[in-house]
Amino acid sequence: MNKYLKYLLAALAGTATLCILLIVIASLLLNPNDYKPQIVQMVKEQKQRNLSLAGDIKLAFFPKLGLDLGQATLSEFRGDKEFASVESARLYLSWWPLLKQELVVDQVRIEGLRANLVRFKNGATNFDDLLKKEAEEDSKQLSFDIKSVLVEKSTLSYHDKMAGRQFSASEINLKTGRLANTIPTEAVAEFSLKSETPQIDAQIHLSTGLTFDLEAKHYGVKGLNLAITGEAAGISKLTAGLKGDLELDRTADTLLVENLSLAVAGKKGTDDIDCTLTVPRFQWLANKIASDAIALVAKIEPSEGGKSALNLTARIPSLAGDRQSFKASKLTVELNGKQPEGKYQGQLTSQLSGSLDDKQFALANLKGNLTASNKKMLAGALKLDINGSAQLDLKRESVALNLTSLLDESTIKLRAGAIPFSKPHLTLDLDIDRIDADRYLPKKSKKSEEQAEKPLDFNILKTLNAGGKVRIGSLKLYNLKTSNLRLDFKAGSGQLDVKPLAAELYGGTMNGSISLQAEGPRIIAQQTISGVNIGPLLQDGLDKDILEGRGSLNFDLRAAGGTVGEMKKSMQGKGNLNLRDGAVKGFNIAGKLREAKVMLGKLTGEKTQAADMQEKTDFSELTASFDIKQGVAHNKDLAAKSPLLRLSGNGDIDIGADMVNYLVRATVVASLEGQGGKELVSLKGLTVPVRIAGPMGATKVTLDFNALVGESVQQGIKTRVTDPLKEGIKGLFR
C-alpha cells in the first residue's frame, strides 16, 4: 500500500513541479502559447517522450500563481504511441511558501485523464523512467501542502503481459481533503472496473481517512470502507465490502491491522453465497507476528429457496511467531448441510504453520470426519475418516495433499498436487484396497429410466491439465466386479487418455485404453478381454442372460454425440468374439429339430415363437467378427460347433435401436449316443435356417420348415412319415 501511495504522491509532486516549470517559463515569456515548440522540445530531450499541447495554456499571477492547461498528450518512452492524455488540468499555488521551498497548493483539478499502463513479460513497465529520481544531493527536500485534489471523468488501463491479465478503470472520480504531512484527511474515490481475464465488471466505491508522515515513513488508514458491486470471480449480483483500520511504520517495521472485516455476497450459478471474514487484531512488530482469533463464516443455499443449504465455519484462535516461522494454536473447520434427500456434517482440525519469508504454509497432522445420509443413495449413508497433511508454496505456486482415509470399509490413499496456479497441472496418485462404488450411486428406478437422456458434458476437458494413476485391489461398479485394476491417465488439450486400462475380471483379464475428447464429444475405446467367463460378465454388466462360455472379446470402437443414445447410434469400429464350451440362450435348435423329425409330415412354412431363456443351444466352439458402422454391428462369419450341429450365420445387431436381426443356419452332423443324437440320424446333413429378430431381451425365433421339408424329401425322409403323425403336431410353436 505504501508503495502505491508513494507513487501517487510522487506523481502529484511531479505534476506540480512540471506545472511550476511551465508557469515560470510562461511568466517570463508573457504568452506561453507562443513557446509551445520549446516546451515540447524540452520534454523530448529530458524524458525522451513526445508532448503534444493542443489546448491553450493560461497563467494567473495574483493573488496566487496559477496554471490552466488545456488538452495535452504524452507519448510512450521513445515512441509515438499515446501513454497518457488529459482534457484539462488546473493548479494554483501560494507565492510566499514557494519561496521557502514549500509547495502550498490551493487545488489540483484534473479532468479527462487517460493513461495506459503496461507491465512487460520481463517485469519492466512503461512508466519506469518516470519514477526515476533525479540526483539532487545539494537540494533540500521540497515539502508540500495541498488543500484538495479533484480528478474527474478519467480512465486508467493496465495490461499485465507477464501474468496475461488486463484491467480497465473508467469514470474515475477522486476527491481528497488537505494533503500534508501528519495532517489527518479524507479521501473518496469511485470508478468502474472491467477485465476479461479474470472476468470482472464491477463498480468500486472507496472512502477512508488518511494520515501520512513522509519523513518518518509512517502511514495510517482509518475507517476504511471499500464497497464492490457487480460481477467478479464468477459471482453475479456481487456485493462485497472491506472495512478496517491499518497503521504502517516502516522505520519501526511495524504493521497494525484492527477491526478488519471482509464480506462477500452474491450468486454463484444457481446458489446464493454469503461469506464473512473477521480479524479483530493483527500485529507485526519488529519481525514478530501476533493475532487475535480469526474467523470465517460461509453459507450457501439455492437462489429459489428450498431444503438445501451448506454452512461452513473456520477458526484460528491465535497466531504467533516471526517472518521465518509462525504457528497457529489450532485450525478448526466445521461444516453441516442439508438436501431434500438427506444431510451431512463434518469437522476438520489441523496444526497450521508457515514461513512468510519463504511463502510456505503447511497443515500437519490433519484429521477430519464426515457423515452423510442420502435417501437416493443405495447404501443410504456413508462415513469418512481422514488423516494426512497439506502444503502450500506460493513461491513455486504449488499445492500438495497427502491423505489416508477410511470410507466405510475401504482404505483410500491419495497423493495429489497442482503447479502452477495460473495454469495448473494436476497430479493424482490414488490407491484403494477395495470398494463397492455402487453403494454410493443413486438407486435405479423405472421412473429415472423413462426420463429423457441427459446431455454428456465433457467441457471440463477443455481446461483440464492433469496426469496420474489409479490402483484398486477390488472394485464393484455398475454391478461389474474387477480386481487388481490399474490405470494411468493424462489430460490436456481437450482430451483425456487412459492407458493402460487393465484389470482381472470373471476369471480372465482385460487390457486396453480409452480416450475422451471434449470436441464432439467423442469416445475412442480399445480393449482385449481374454479368458473371461462371458455369462456372468453379461449378466452383471448388461443384465442380459444370453450367452455362456469362456473365451476372448476384442474391440476397437469410436463414437461421438451429445447423449449416450447418440453415441450408440454413431458407433464405428470392429470387434471379434471367440468362445469355448458354452451355449446361446433363448432357443434349443437341436431340440426343435428332434421334435421336427417326429412331426415332419405336417411341418411346412415358418414357425415362430418367443425366445425362452430356459432353452439353450450348446456349442463347443463359437467365433464371430463384427464390422460396426453407424451403430449397427454386422456379422457375416458366425461359426459354431457342437456334437450334433454345425452353425453358421450372418446378420445385424442395431446397437442404437437395441434390435437384432440375425439368420443362423443349423446343419445336422453325425450324432452322438446319449445326447439325443440318435433321433436326428435321419436328418443328417440337413440345414435349417433359424431367424432371430426383435428387440434385445424380447427376441423372436423363427424356424423355416419349408427348407427342412425340401431337403428331407430329397433324402426320402418324407415317405417314411405316416399320416397319424400329422394330427399329433398341431399347436407346435404356437
Side-chain angles (χ1 to χ4, degrees):
M1 180 197 71
N2 62 304
K3 179 176 72 175
Y4 295 112
L5 179 59
K6 178 181 176 182
Y7 289 166
L8 175 61
L9 295 176
L12 292 173
T15 302
T17 303
L18 179 60
C19 290
I20 292 171
L21 180 61
L22 292 174
I23 290 172
V24 173
I25 294 173
S27 64
L28 293 175
L29 301 176
L30 297 179
N31 186 0
N33 293 289
D34 293 338
Y35 296 90
K36 286 181 180 179
Q38 287 85 345
I39 300 172
V40 169
Q41 183 62 30
M42 180 182 64
V43 173
K44 178 73 172 178
E45 291 176 355
Q46 294 188 5
K47 296 297 181 182
Q48 300 185 53
R49 292 175 180 261
N50 298 325
L51 175 65
S52 173
L53 299 172
D56 289 338
I57 303 174
K58 298 178 182 179
L59 292 177
F61 300 99
F62 187 82
K64 295 182 179 181
L65 182 62
L67 169 68
D68 280 328
L69 179 65
Q71 185 178 5
T73 302
L74 185 66
S75 75
E76 293 279 3
F77 181 68
R78 295 177 180 174
D80 296 324
K81 188 177 179 181
E82 181 180 303
F83 167 72
S85 66
V86 66
E87 292 296 326
S88 66
R90 182 178 183 181
L91 176 67
Y92 278 79
L93 310 176
S94 297
W95 277 107
W96 181 249
L98 188 60
L99 298 177
K100 298 187 297 181
Q101 291 190 315
E102 295 177 359
L103 187 63
V104 177
V105 182
D106 179 60
Q107 185 186 66
V108 177
R109 181 169 182 172
I110 300 173
E111 184 174 348
L113 173 67
R114 297 191 305 272
N116 303 305
L117 308 181
V118 178
R119 182 171 76 156
F120 302 107
K121 291 184 177 181
N122 62 0
T125 71
N126 67 339
F127 52 90
D128 283 345
D129 62 300
L130 299 178
L131 300 177
K132 291 180 180 178
K133 293 183 178 180
E134 300 291 342
E136 293 180 321
E137 297 179 358
D138 297 333
S139 65
K140 185 179 179 180
Q141 183 176 3
L142 182 69
S143 62
F144 64 88
D145 187 339
I146 303 175
K147 185 177 180 180
S148 67
V149 174
L150 182 63
V151 179
E152 297 179 309
K153 301 178 182 178
S154 297
T155 300
L156 177 66
S157 69
Y158 177 62
H159 188 183
D160 189 342
K161 295 183 178 181
M162 190 175 184
R165 298 172 181 173
Q166 192 166 357
F167 301 89
S168 175
S170 60
E171 294 299 320
I172 300 174
N173 294 298
L174 169 67
K175 183 178 181 180
T176 74
R178 183 182 176 187
L179 297 178
N181 260 16
T182 72
I183 304 299
T185 189
E186 301 287 334
V188 177
E190 59 183 14
F191 57 91
S192 297
L193 181 64
K194 292 187 178 182
S195 171
E196 295 272 340
T197 306
Q199 188 72 35
I200 299 175
D201 187 356
Q203 300 294 319
I204 314 295
H205 181 85
L206 171 67
S207 64
T208 185
L210 290 173
T211 305
F212 58 87
D213 187 337
L214 297 180
E215 294 180 0
K217 297 182 180 180
H218 186 278
Y219 311 91
V221 174
K222 190 75 172 178
L224 172 68
N225 189 351
L226 172 65
I228 304 173
T229 58
E231 181 179 351
I235 302 175
S236 60
K237 298 182 180 180
L238 172 67
T239 302
L242 177 64
K243 297 181 179 181
D245 304 320
L246 295 89
E247 190 172 339
L248 173 65
D249 190 330
R250 296 194 61 187
T251 302
D253 192 21
T254 63
L255 171 65
L256 176 63
V257 179
E258 292 183 303
N259 306 317
L260 185 67
S261 67
L262 172 64
V264 178
K267 185 174 181 178
K268 182 79 169 179
T270 59
D271 295 326
D272 288 334
I273 65 172
D274 192 346
C275 303
T276 303
L277 173 68
T278 57
V279 183
R281 182 181 175 88
F282 177 87
Q283 186 175 29
W284 178 292
L285 179 60
N287 203 33
K288 297 294 183 181
I289 300 172
S291 80
D292 293 342
I294 300 173
L296 171 67
V297 178
K299 183 177 182 180
I300 303 175
E301 58 185 12
S303 302
E304 304 298 328
K307 298 181 179 180
S308 298
L310 170 64
N311 297 288
L312 181 144
T313 60
R315 292 184 178 86
I316 299 176
S318 63
L319 276 174
D322 53 33
R323 291 181 61 96
Q324 187 59 37
S325 177
F326 71 87
K327 291 183 179 180
S329 54
K330 188 179 183 181
L331 168 65
T332 302
V333 180
E334 296 179 347
L335 69 87
N336 64 79
K338 61 179 181 178
Q339 294 178 328
E341 300 82 15
K343 59 182 180 179
Y344 49 92
Q345 62 180 16
Q347 185 181 64
L348 186 71
T349 61
S350 177
Q351 298 174 356
L352 172 63
S353 61
S355 169
L356 295 179
D357 285 342
D358 298 331
K359 296 182 180 180
Q360 295 178 347
F361 308 90
L363 294 175
N365 196 25
L366 191 153
K367 296 181 181 294
N369 61 78
L370 174 70
T371 58
S373 62
N374 190 309
K375 293 184 293 185
K376 289 187 175 181
M377 195 165 59
L378 188 62
L382 65 82
K383 182 181 179 182
L384 176 66
D385 293 311
I386 300 173
N387 289 275
S389 62
Q391 294 81 36
L392 174 66
D393 190 327
L394 295 181
K395 277 188 177 179
R396 296 183 64 246
E397 293 191 353
S398 67
V399 61
L401 187 66
N402 193 341
L403 298 178
T404 298
S405 305
L406 185 64
L407 175 62
D408 293 324
E409 294 85 20
S410 303
T411 299
I412 302 174
K413 296 180 180 180
L414 170 67
R415 287 185 296 173
I419 185 173
F421 295 157
S422 55
K423 295 181 180 179
H425 175 74
L426 308 179
T427 59
L428 182 143
D429 188 342
L430 181 63
D431 193 317
I432 305 175
D433 62 343
R434 56 193 173 95
I435 186 169
D436 180 357
D438 289 340
R439 294 184 55 179
Y440 312 108
L441 296 178
K443 299 176 183 178
K444 290 184 178 180
S445 64
K446 292 183 178 180
K447 183 177 180 181
S448 63
E449 292 173 358
E450 295 172 357
Q451 290 177 347
E453 281 190 299
K454 293 183 179 180
L456 296 172
D457 187 0
F458 290 3
N459 285 327
I460 189 175
L461 298 180
K462 294 180 179 180
T463 56
L464 183 63
N465 180 16
K469 59 184 181 180
V470 177
R471 303 291 184 265
I472 304 178
S474 175
L475 170 67
K476 179 172 174 281
L477 177 63
Y478 295 118
N479 207 39
L480 281 172
K481 305 173 186 69
T482 64
S483 59
N484 297 323
L485 173 70
R486 59 186 181 90
L487 64 87
D488 296 346
F489 69 91
K490 181 180 180 181
S493 303
Q495 182 167 317
L496 171 64
D497 295 318
V498 179
K499 184 179 182 180
L501 174 58
E504 298 174 7
L505 71 168
Y506 298 91
T509 61
M510 59 175 279
N511 192 2
S513 64
I514 186 169
S515 177
L516 308 181
Q517 300 174 1
E519 201 65 38
R522 188 181 308 276
I523 296 179
I524 301 173
Q526 298 174 327
Q527 197 65 233
T528 297
I529 302 175
S530 305
V532 298
N533 193 344
I534 198 71
L537 174 62
L538 295 177
Q539 181 71 51
D540 289 347
L542 302 177
D543 195 23
K544 297 184 183 298
D545 188 16
I546 57 176
L547 196 60
E548 292 179 352
R550 183 179 293 276
S552 63
L553 171 64
N554 304 318
F555 58 80
D556 184 348
L557 304 176
R558 290 163 174 77
T563 65
V564 173
E566 291 178 3
M567 285 273 186
K568 291 166 67 175
K569 292 178 181 178
S570 69
M571 191 177 294
Q572 309 274 351
K574 295 182 180 297
N576 62 75
L577 178 68
N578 191 330
L579 298 179
R580 297 287 187 274
D581 302 322
V584 178
K585 291 191 172 183
F587 54 92
N588 185 346
I589 295 178
K592 296 307 176 187
L593 289 176
R594 283 191 290 268
E595 294 179 21
K597 185 262 182 185
V598 176
M599 307 174 185
L600 191 59
K602 190 69 176 179
L603 293 175
T604 58
E606 294 183 346
K607 304 301 180 180
T608 302
Q609 70 176 43
D612 182 355
M613 303 314 294
Q614 301 302 317
E615 296 280 349
K616 61 182 180 180
T617 298
D618 297 320
F619 60 81
S620 58
E621 178 183 337
L622 184 149
T623 61
S625 65
F626 297 91
D627 189 9
I628 306 171
K629 295 180 179 180
Q630 299 300 316
V632 178
H634 179 69
N635 166 257
K636 58 183 179 181
D637 61 356
L638 173 71
K641 299 178 181 178
S642 76
L644 303 176
L645 301 170
R646 294 292 184 268
L647 302 179
S648 63
N650 65 280
D652 296 325
I653 300 175
D654 192 332
I655 301 170
D658 218 21
M659 299 286 289
V660 177
N661 184 14
Y662 209 85
L663 180 64
V664 178
R665 296 174 180 84
T667 301
V668 180
V669 296
S671 58
L672 296 176
E673 300 292 335
Q675 296 187 13
K678 184 177 181 180
E679 300 172 3
L680 295 181
V681 171
S682 58
L683 298 180
K684 180 180 178 181
L686 294 183
T687 299
V688 178
V690 180
R691 184 166 295 279
I692 306 166
M696 294 286 287
T699 53
K700 300 289 185 179
V701 182
T702 302
L703 275 72
D704 186 352
F705 285 105
N706 279 333
L708 176 60
V709 170
E711 291 201 28
S712 65
V713 167
Q714 294 178 14
Q715 298 184 29
I717 296 177
K718 189 175 182 181
T719 59
R720 295 193 295 271
V721 179
T722 61
D723 289 339
L725 289 177
K726 296 180 181 180
E727 295 298 325
I729 61 175
K730 288 182 179 180
L732 187 63
F733 299 112
R734 294 180 182 174

